[in-house]
Amino acid sequence: MDWYMMNCELLATCSALGYLEGDVYHREPDCLESIKDLIRYLRHEDETRDVRQQLGAAQILQNDLLPLLVQYPQDKVLFDAVVRLLVNLTQPALLCFGKVPADATSRHHFLQVLSYLQAYKEAFASEKVFGVLSEKLYDVLQLDWEQRQEEDTLLIERILLLVRNVLHVPPDPTEKQDVDGDASVHDRVLWALHISGMDDLLKFLASAQSEQQWALHVLEIISLMFRDQSPEQLAALGQGQAAAERGEDTRELETLRQRELAEKRARALQRPSRHSRFRGSYVIQGLKAIGDNDVVFHKGLHNLQSYSHDLGKEPRRVPRRRWAPPDPGPLRRSARNVRLFLCHFCQDFLEGCYNRLMLLVKDQLLREKAQQHDETYYLWATAFFMAFNRSRGFRPELVSETVGVRAFHFIEQNLTTYYEMALMDKKEAVTWARRMHLALKAYQELLRTVQEMDRSPEPAVRDSSQVIKNNIFYLTEYRELLLALFRKFDETKQPRAFLRDLVETAHLFLRMLEHFCRGRAGLVVQSKRVRRKKKPRAPAALAPQPPSAAELEELWAGLAPQLQACLQGEVPLPEDVVPFDAASETPVEEQRAEALLRIQGCLRGAQAPEALRLLRCAREVWPEGDVFGPSGAGPPEETQLLREIFFAALPRHAPPEAEEPEELEEEEVEEDEEEQTVQVAEKEFNFMDYLKRFACAPVVRACALLLRGYAQNSARTNHCAARLLHRLARDLRMEALLFQLSLFTLFHRLLNDPGAAAHQELVALAKFILGKFFALAATNKKAFVELLFWKNPTAVREMTEGYSSLQEGEGAAARRAPAWTPQEEQALRELYWKYKEVEGQDVIAAILAELPAPGRTRRQVVKHLVRLGLASSAKDFPQQRKGTHIVLWTEEQEQELERLFEEFRGSDDVLGNIMKNLTARRSRARVVEKLLGLGLVSERKELHKKRRRKGRGPELGEADALVVSAQDSSAEEGDSEEEEEEEEEEAESDPIEEHWVPEEGAGQGLVHLLHQEGLAGPLQWLENCLRRTAGDREQEGLSFPVPLVPLSEENEDAMEDRRFRALLRELGLRPPASEQESFWRIPATLTPQQLRRAAASLVHHSPNPEGLPQHPEGLPAPPRHPQAPASAEQLPAPLGSDSESEEPVPVPLQSGSKRRRQLDSEDEDGGSPEAEPAAAAPCSEDDDDPQPAGRRKRARCLEEEEEED
């Protein structure tokens, strides 16, 4: 901007400041008022920052303000005003404009302001300016806290802000072209800051007890001071680094020279010895052109290697939004004297200020006393100073504040927050990615520090490292963090530097975890599983609670006289009752169900005349099926019918919901809302199973992207990427995971690189993968096509073992709906037109009944009908609501039920056979209730399916026993789903009451069955637990719920057995009441006598075979495996443990194979459902006692035992 284009008022104000004569500045009388006017002008500038630009073009700061600051420091009022104006003029351009403008005009103004700031920074590179600021700051800090005025506090803050603003100015791009070692403007500012003593004042502010409020200001200034520095290079300075630097530079130059010589030799080999004036034309055999002919090459043969079909084509333009973010280049090496000063500053800061300052900053961040995103300075300081300390002698006490589980948690929390915000805030994704990179570097440095602590000669430091690793490897969040970052890596939002640090961090984490798992058998880690439970869309709180059975009996007793009076004609019946509306759009079946609900509502509302009239009217409207009674029903039949309706549990409609927007997808119309609950459990950890989580396309793609620049990468970066790929290919035997065309292109470029000798590890990996590929391609001709796709472990298995190796229900095909063939589409059209006009019938259900294999779901059929254009949306096929069928039992249906019960009474599955042959479809719970009501069975367990265990003779070997057990399990899988539904319905319809008392001899039948199934050991354990609890309650006189904690694998399997849980219910034990509980409990309401009676019912009264040893009480010992040892090891344990000190129980070894347990806690489906959290496990076993085989080690129990010892 030209000086003469300056605003008149602004020009007059600047002229009234003063003038410079030689080195002396003479101020005008109105100098102070002029400075205040400039402050006022800046306050009212427009969005283009015109005042700021005019002052920058006039160089007011260089020619007027800084001379005033240097020559008149004694004038306090003038000095404060000048500092205020300097702070305003030097504030960052991002603060002035909010963000980097997108349009060209605003961006021009932004760059203009930035150029003026760079000129300001060069003017501040003066020892005099920083000397005056340091003296003023020192004088104010000399004052006690009581003597300071508000102006003094503001002056301290403004001086710190001024230093921050000057250091914050980015360097000029043209300045970066200078060679390393030259003093840049930033270096000169730092040197002036050092000469003036400002660095000592910063260290004082960071360590003084009375200056806590400046902690964040100091940390921000320090982060800007070390912006262009590498902690490793600073740490190595002064330790013979001059020769080391020269040696490193020499090695880099030698590498470049060798590469250049190799390229020259390659070009010399390509160039023929005799130059030909005729270029000629050649045919490249095997390389097809656009047609069927071979390519004709019209250039010299030395250019043949660079031939490509893309020659001459216009490169495809990439949109700006898909450009990769700029990668920060290599750090520029500052002047040596500046680096020496910064190295000494780091040493002094670590020894006297670091721990205290980081504690204050973290406290302000947690209490939300800081500004937004100030935690980034904390993350930077953690990564920088811990790296400096690790590289210069490593003294863990200097960084103790940021080494610990809390530091890991804080960084992981911020990293997760940035990760989620980058996914949600798409416009600012690049900014969130930069913050995420800072957090990742801090996380990486924490891991390196913990790794360095393992090598410390001090035992206390090594023990602390073990404690930290125990915590971070135990929690799921730390193990899943890197996987989530790999999966969501976006090269258009995150720079390559982030990917480099991510791969290095993953390599370090896997290496530490692998070393931690060595020599540790039964390592237990935390596992989280999200359980999704469907719930109705209407909130359950709005639905009225049904009355209890006692309340219904009381209501019926008061309603019976009124109903008898109506039946006898003493009370007139209303005439305006209409059960059916012919003009309504509601189907007839639903109107009938509504009529039943209206009758029940009138009865429960003590409106007997309305209920009776509604019943008779409904009988006339719907005479079929005798749902509302026969046509000639008398008063007794009507009374009985009304009683059944009164006590029936009729399904009620959910309250009306708010109208949903039409933009909802068709699938969401039919879906119920899902309720997610997170279940925390503990599982044994297996490192190889965890490593399989990295065998996925995002991890391989990220490593391939990083290795594209192998020539520019550091040796450590290439090693980490190659080692990660080597783990996947060699350790997991998934070489086919790397069979990808982009990786092969990289290998081709690497093997043809003249400077490949410097990357021997990558060359070895490339040769290994290529060898495996060509060996596989000899047997699998489709391997060349597979190169076009990224693969998962399922595709790798199909590719290597054969495409028919996966059984039905395995792999990705099990989760993918089969495609519709033209024949199936034609059959679907015919069935749709066939059943479209049929009234009163569910079209989709009729289509599903006649649709040929493969089996389709209702949603798939509806979706394809919409896709074919036969229907407009899924709303055209409303699914029939549950509970609209017949609820009341007619006389013919009761007779049919009695006949079926007598027919299948002696079968193994009475209820299942009845359900298959019942004419009217009803739920299992309704059939069970009716059987109990008719008196055909006395209790529900008589209807349970009976299973006959196949006998295993002693001649069966281990392999035969495994086959037999597999056959048993496969035979039982078919009915498992129905039995689970039956058990849930029974549990809902017959819950255990809190004060339920077990009957004497309860569960004898189940005890006999469980003994036959080989569960004598768990039964004896349960009996001992009951007896011990009874004794404890007699001695202490107190009763509280006691958990049953199974510690052995046999007892844990028993607690998951359906019959064993049914026995616990019959004994009066309480299941887990909520998600916070994991174990069954002995209720506090059971007395010692009741507990002993329940324990006595567990005694197995079977005849004692000859030769079996007897217990002290005369009971036969549990069956023993023929190969089991003669005596079993005994363990004294409290209630809930696997063995008792009162009565020794040998643990039987069963010949059948136990169900295999998943040890990997990071499976995609969330882990196996058998895991139970052991948070409340009471453990008091001694460490010296021998452990029986198969006992699961639990980390928390072991820690409690060590504390007791």
Side-chain angles (χ1 to χ4, degrees):
M1 180 176 293
D2 192 1
W3 168 263
Y4 298 102
M5 297 294 294
M6 197 173 188
N7 182 273
C8 300
E9 296 182 1
L10 197 58
L11 179 59
T13 305
C14 294
S15 300
L17 290 175
Y19 58 94
L20 186 64
E21 190 176 274
D23 293 336
V24 180
Y25 188 85
H26 302 276
R27 62 176 179 176
E28 297 289 344
D30 298 335
C31 180
L32 180 60
E33 286 74 11
S34 299
I35 291 177
K36 293 180 180 179
D37 289 338
L38 291 177
I39 295 174
R40 186 165 57 253
Y41 290 151
L42 286 172
R43 191 182 304 146
H44 297 91
E45 63 182 350
D46 59 7
E47 58 183 11
T48 63
R49 303 298 181 251
D50 56 339
V51 177
R52 195 174 304 270
Q53 293 189 52
Q54 294 180 47
L55 294 178
Q59 298 185 354
I60 298 299
L61 185 140
Q62 298 93 318
N63 298 331
D64 295 277
L65 298 182
L66 290 184
L68 278 172
L69 185 75
V70 172
Q71 296 190 18
Y72 300 98
Q74 66 279 1
D75 191 342
K76 190 175 185 308
V77 179
L78 179 61
F79 186 87
D80 291 347
V82 172
V83 170
R84 281 182 61 192
L85 183 56
L86 289 174
V87 170
N88 198 336
L89 283 176
T90 57
Q91 68 178 358
L94 283 175
L95 289 180
C96 297
F97 290 87
K99 62 178 182 179
V100 179
D103 60 296
T105 305
S106 301
R107 190 175 183 86
H108 170 73
H109 295 306
F110 176 84
L111 295 177
Q112 196 69 31
V113 171
L114 190 59
S115 65
Y116 294 142
L117 288 176
Q118 292 167 353
Y120 295 163
K121 185 173 184 178
E122 189 172 359
F124 267 95
S126 169
E127 300 176 11
K128 295 181 179 179
V129 175
F130 274 99
V132 171
L133 293 176
S134 301
E135 290 178 2
K136 274 292 181 181
L137 184 59
Y138 177 79
D139 294 339
V140 177
L141 292 178
Q142 287 291 102
L143 300 175
D144 293 336
W145 186 259
E146 297 83 2
Q147 299 176 353
R148 289 186 192 174
Q149 303 295 326
E150 184 178 357
E151 293 79 7
D152 299 330
T153 305
L154 288 175
L155 181 60
I156 296 176
E157 183 176 6
R158 286 167 182 163
I159 292 177
L160 294 178
L161 288 176
L162 179 59
V163 176
R164 189 277 312 265
N165 291 345
V166 172
L167 294 174
H168 188 275
V169 177
D172 191 356
T174 59
E175 187 182 89
K176 291 187 176 181
Q177 299 176 1
D178 297 341
V179 296
D180 287 346
D182 285 353
S184 62
V185 175
H186 191 75
D187 293 342
R188 297 204 300 271
V189 171
L190 290 178
W191 187 251
L193 185 145
H194 170 59
I195 295 299
S196 64
M198 181 68 74
D199 56 337
D200 296 329
L201 294 177
L202 292 176
K203 288 184 283 188
F204 170 76
L205 290 174
S207 59
Q209 178 71 24
S210 58
E211 309 295 342
Q212 299 181 5
Q213 56 179 328
W214 314 117
L216 272 169
H217 291 79
V218 173
L219 186 60
E220 186 176 0
I221 292 174
I222 292 175
S223 67
L224 294 172
M225 288 171 58
F226 293 91
R227 179 174 55 190
D228 298 331
Q229 306 299 326
S230 170
E232 289 81 5
Q233 292 180 1
L234 285 181
L237 197 63
Q239 300 177 353
Q241 182 61 16
E245 286 181 3
R246 287 194 295 271
E248 183 179 355
D249 295 340
T250 303
R251 283 192 298 270
E252 292 180 1
L253 290 174
E254 185 64 25
T255 302
L256 294 175
R257 180 173 175 273
Q258 292 296 334
R259 182 184 297 274
E260 184 179 359
L261 292 177
E263 292 176 354
K264 286 183 178 180
R265 286 194 298 268
R267 287 196 299 268
L269 293 175
Q270 292 176 359
R271 189 177 300 114
S273 58
R274 177 179 176 275
H275 175 69
S276 174
R277 296 181 179 276
F278 302 98
R279 302 171 64 183
S281 297
Y282 306 91
V283 176
I284 305 177
Q285 294 182 356
L287 187 62
K288 299 295 182 183
I290 299 177
D292 296 334
N293 300 326
D294 293 334
V295 172
V296 178
F297 189 66
H298 298 284
K299 295 184 179 181
L301 290 178
H302 60 279
N303 294 324
L304 182 61
Q305 296 293 334
S306 61
Y307 176 76
S308 171
H309 286 302
D310 296 331
L311 289 176
K313 294 182 181 179
E314 184 180 356
R316 183 179 179 183
R317 298 186 62 183
V318 180
R320 183 184 295 271
R321 65 177 182 276
R322 298 187 60 85
W323 287 3
D327 192 31
L331 296 178
R332 182 184 175 278
R333 192 179 302 167
S334 301
R336 181 173 177 79
N337 57 345
V338 175
R339 284 183 287 148
L340 283 172
F341 143 63
L342 293 177
C343 178
H344 294 315
F345 182 90
C346 282
Q347 289 179 340
D348 297 340
F349 182 77
L350 280 173
E351 292 176 358
C353 312
Y354 178 80
N355 287 329
R356 174 172 179 77
L357 181 66
M358 299 299 281
L359 176 64
L360 293 175
V361 170
K362 188 175 182 181
D363 180 70
Q364 294 183 18
L365 292 174
L366 295 178
R367 296 177 181 270
E368 297 182 355
K369 294 182 179 179
Q371 296 181 1
Q372 196 175 14
H373 308 312
D374 275 351
E375 70 276 0
T376 55
Y377 300 109
Y378 179 88
L379 298 174
W380 173 88
T382 300
F384 187 90
F385 288 105
M386 291 182 70
F388 182 87
N389 178 62
R390 177 177 51 83
S391 303
R392 196 176 181 89
F394 186 66
R395 296 168 57 187
E397 67 275 6
L398 298 183
V399 292
S400 59
E401 176 58 35
T402 53
V403 177
V405 180
R406 292 184 179 180
F408 271 99
H409 172 70
F410 180 78
I411 294 175
E412 184 270 336
Q413 194 175 22
N414 283 280
L415 185 56
T416 306
T417 302
Y418 299 152
Y419 160 76
E420 294 174 351
M421 290 302 299
L423 296 179
M424 292 188 295
D425 191 2
K426 299 294 185 181
K427 294 183 179 180
E428 299 294 332
V430 177
T431 304
W432 290 110
R434 286 199 296 265
R435 298 180 184 129
M436 196 192 313
H437 191 191
L438 282 175
L440 180 63
K441 291 172 68 175
Y443 186 75
Q444 177 187 8
E445 194 51 48
L446 273 179
L447 290 176
R448 288 186 176 181
T449 301
V450 173
Q451 184 186 36
E452 196 70 26
M453 291 171 64
D454 282 338
R455 306 168 185 166
S456 175
E458 301 179 8
V461 177
R462 295 196 300 270
D463 294 343
S464 300
S465 171
Q466 293 298 319
V467 172
I468 294 174
K469 290 193 294 185
N470 272 324
N471 283 275
I472 63 174
F473 293 150
Y474 173 78
L475 294 177
T476 309
E477 291 80 4
Y478 299 109
R479 300 194 306 273
E480 294 291 330
L481 180 62
L482 297 175
L483 281 168
L485 295 178
F486 268 118
R487 292 194 188 102
K488 296 300 181 181
F489 175 76
D490 186 0
E491 57 181 320
T492 63
K493 302 294 188 300
Q494 295 161 308
R496 286 176 53 86
F498 176 86
L499 181 58
R500 180 186 65 244
D501 288 328
L502 178 58
V503 172
E504 293 181 2
T505 306
H507 168 74
L508 179 61
F509 187 85
L510 288 174
R511 184 179 178 184
M512 292 176 61
L513 184 57
E514 184 181 17
H515 291 175
F516 185 77
C517 294
R518 289 179 183 173
R520 285 180 171 84
L523 178 64
V524 177
V525 297
Q526 187 188 75
S527 173
K528 290 186 177 181
R529 183 181 59 177
V530 179
R531 171 169 291 183
R532 294 175 174 85
K533 182 179 179 183
K534 287 189 175 181
K535 63 177 182 178
R537 293 196 173 190
L542 300 179
Q545 296 294 332
S548 61
E551 294 176 352
L552 289 177
E553 289 289 350
E554 185 178 353
L555 288 175
W556 180 257
L559 185 65
Q562 185 182 1
L563 185 59
Q564 291 298 326
C566 294
L567 290 172
Q568 294 174 4
E570 299 177 0
V571 178
L573 302 181
E575 298 293 338
D576 55 347
V577 177
V578 179
F580 174 74
D581 185 6
S584 175
E585 296 180 357
T586 306
V588 178
E589 293 292 331
E590 294 190 12
Q591 291 199 37
R592 183 171 60 182
E594 291 291 342
L596 285 173
L597 290 173
R598 289 175 61 188
I599 294 173
Q600 188 183 67
C602 293
L603 289 174
R604 294 184 179 181
Q607 300 176 2
E610 289 80 357
L612 183 58
R613 184 63 179 176
L614 192 58
L615 176 68
R616 292 175 178 176
C617 294
R619 187 187 306 154
E620 297 176 359
V621 176
W622 295 287
E624 64 275 0
D626 296 340
V627 178
F628 298 95
S631 58
E637 289 83 359
E638 290 182 338
T639 303
Q640 180 63 24
L641 189 60
L642 289 173
R643 177 182 174 84
E644 291 184 8
I645 296 176
F646 180 81
F647 285 96
L650 299 179
R652 297 186 176 273
H653 299 297
E657 300 178 356
E659 294 184 1
E660 298 181 354
E662 296 181 358
E663 290 80 5
L664 285 177
E665 296 182 0
E666 297 165 2
E667 293 84 354
E668 296 181 359
V669 176
E670 298 181 2
E671 285 185 356
D672 292 334
E673 296 179 1
E674 289 185 350
E675 186 180 37
Q676 294 185 358
T677 57
V678 179
Q679 292 186 346
V680 181
E682 287 184 344
K683 286 190 175 184
E684 293 186 17
F685 181 75
N686 186 291
F687 177 75
M688 297 305 296
D689 291 338
Y690 174 70
L691 185 60
K692 291 177 183 177
R693 302 292 307 281
F694 287 84
C696 57
V699 176
V700 181
R701 188 184 298 113
C703 293
L705 179 62
L706 182 62
L707 288 177
R708 287 182 189 174
Y710 67 91
Q712 291 78 32
N713 294 340
S714 64
R716 173 174 175 78
T717 301
N718 289 334
H719 167 73
C720 293
R723 183 69 181 117
L724 184 55
L725 293 177
H726 182 270
R727 286 182 184 272
L728 302 180
R730 191 67 179 268
D731 298 353
L732 296 180
R733 301 184 182 277
M734 291 187 183
E735 300 89 354
L737 197 67
L738 307 185
F739 294 169
Q740 218 283 330
L741 195 57
S742 60
L743 263 176
F744 279 23
T745 305
L746 171 64
F747 292 159
H748 176 72
R749 183 161 59 93
L750 174 66
L751 295 177
N752 292 328
D753 188 358
H759 311 288
Q760 290 297 329
E761 191 174 13
L762 293 178
V763 172
L765 176 66
K767 292 181 178 179
F768 171 73
I769 296 300
L770 291 174
K772 290 292 183 180
F773 171 76
F774 289 115
L776 178 64
T779 57
N780 183 6
K781 299 302 181 183
K782 298 179 181 178
F784 295 97
V785 182
E786 293 281 3
L787 288 175
L788 302 175
F789 308 99
W790 298 100
K791 286 164 278 295
N792 54 17
T794 303
V796 168
R797 180 179 170 186
E798 290 180 336
M799 188 176 175
T800 54
E801 300 180 9
Y803 293 97
S804 60
S805 59
L806 294 181
Q807 302 296 327
E808 185 177 355
E810 293 183 358
R815 300 185 297 269
R816 193 182 307 125
W820 289 80
T821 63
Q823 295 79 8
E824 291 175 349
E825 290 184 349
Q826 182 62 27
L828 180 63
R829 288 190 180 93
E830 294 176 357
L831 291 174
Y832 174 74
W833 291 114
K834 177 181 177 181
Y835 293 106
K836 179 182 179 183
E837 303 298 335
V838 179
E839 296 183 0
Q841 186 176 8
D842 190 356
V843 180
I844 305 301
I847 293 175
L848 288 172
E850 298 189 19
L851 202 63
R856 302 283 183 177
T857 63
R858 181 184 181 92
R859 180 175 299 173
Q860 292 173 3
V861 173
V862 171
K863 209 172 178 183
H864 206 67
L865 285 174
V866 175
R867 186 178 290 113
L868 293 177
L870 299 177
S872 58
S873 68
K875 296 180 180 179
D876 296 343
F877 307 101
Q879 193 169 4
Q880 190 173 8
R881 296 185 181 180
K882 297 181 180 180
T884 58
H885 298 289
I886 303 173
V887 177
L888 302 178
W889 290 78
T890 62
E891 186 177 356
E892 292 79 4
Q893 293 169 354
E894 292 180 354
Q895 292 175 0
E896 180 189 12
L897 183 62
E898 293 177 356
R899 178 180 58 80
L900 291 175
F901 178 75
E902 294 297 335
E903 180 180 351
F904 300 107
R905 191 170 195 173
S907 62
D908 292 340
D909 189 6
V910 181
L911 185 59
N913 293 327
I914 292 176
M915 295 295 298
K916 293 177 183 177
N917 295 274
L918 202 61
T919 303
R921 294 181 58 84
R922 299 178 185 273
S923 65
R924 300 171 70 93
R926 300 294 171 260
V927 175
V928 171
E929 289 178 0
K930 196 62 181 178
L931 289 173
L932 291 172
L934 294 176
L936 299 178
V937 293
S938 57
E939 52 186 2
R940 297 175 183 270
K941 68 179 182 179
E942 297 180 16
L943 298 174
H944 292 173
K945 183 178 179 181
K946 302 171 185 175
R947 295 183 182 176
R948 296 178 180 176
R949 189 176 183 86
K950 296 183 180 180
R952 298 185 177 94
E955 69 277 7
L956 288 178
E958 183 178 356
D960 298 331
L962 292 174
V963 173
V964 172
S965 64
Q967 293 175 353
D968 291 347
S969 62
S970 62
E972 294 173 0
E973 285 177 358
D975 301 322
S976 61
E977 185 176 353
E978 296 181 0
E979 291 172 358
E980 290 177 1
E981 293 177 358
E982 173 186 354
E983 182 179 349
E984 292 177 359
E985 291 175 354
E986 293 174 1
E988 292 176 359
S989 59
D990 188 17
I992 296 180
E993 298 180 3
E994 185 67 24
H995 301 285
W996 183 81
V997 179
E999 300 178 358
E1000 186 172 0
Q1004 285 291 339
L1006 285 175
V1007 171
H1008 181 67
L1009 290 175
L1010 293 174
H1011 270 279
Q1012 289 182 350
E1013 293 184 1
L1015 296 180
L1019 289 173
Q1020 186 67 34
W1021 164 69
L1022 179 60
E1023 178 188 351
N1024 293 337
C1025 290
L1026 295 175
R1027 294 185 184 278
R1028 171 161 294 180
T1029 306
D1032 293 342
R1033 291 184 178 180
E1034 283 185 346
Q1035 293 177 2
E1036 300 176 0
L1038 299 175
S1039 297
F1040 49 88
V1042 180
L1044 291 174
V1045 183
L1047 295 183
S1048 70
E1049 191 171 346
E1050 181 187 18
N1051 292 345
E1052 192 169 347
D1053 289 341
M1055 294 298 291
E1056 296 165 0
D1057 186 77
R1058 187 175 59 86
R1059 288 195 176 93
F1060 196 85
R1061 293 201 300 266
L1063 175 63
L1064 296 179
R1065 288 181 179 274
E1066 291 195 14
L1067 295 179
L1069 305 188
R1070 181 173 62 83
S1074 64
E1075 298 171 359
Q1076 304 298 326
E1077 297 182 0
S1078 302
F1079 306 104
W1080 285 69
R1081 280 168 167 73
I1082 302 176
T1085 56
L1086 296 182
T1087 62
Q1089 293 77 15
Q1090 294 170 351
L1091 290 175
R1092 288 194 175 91
R1093 188 163 60 246
S1097 65
L1098 298 177
V1099 178
H1100 183 47
H1101 300 286
S1102 61
N1104 184 25
E1106 296 181 2
L1108 288 180
Q1110 296 286 336
H1111 276 271
E1113 298 180 2
L1115 299 177
R1120 188 183 305 277
H1121 192 271
Q1123 298 178 359
S1127 61
E1129 297 175 338
Q1130 306 299 327
L1131 285 175
L1135 174 63
S1137 61
D1138 294 337
S1139 56
E1140 296 290 333
S1141 59
E1142 298 178 357
E1143 300 177 8
V1145 181
V1147 180
L1149 299 176
Q1150 302 179 7
S1151 60
S1153 64
K1154 290 187 178 294
R1155 173 173 42 80
R1156 180 181 180 272
R1157 293 183 176 275
Q1158 298 289 337
L1159 300 182
D1160 183 14
S1161 62
E1162 283 78 24
D1163 289 343
E1164 294 291 345
D1165 55 357
S1168 62
E1170 293 83 18
E1172 294 285 302
C1179 301
S1180 61
E1181 300 170 1
D1182 296 330
D1183 292 339
D1184 299 334
D1185 292 337
Q1187 299 289 336
R1191 181 175 297 275
R1192 178 167 296 188
K1193 297 179 178 62
R1194 297 184 180 273
R1196 298 188 180 180
C1197 296
L1198 295 178
E1199 292 176 2
E1200 292 179 3
E1201 292 166 6
E1202 292 174 1
E1203 292 175 1
E1204 291 178 2
D1205 293 341

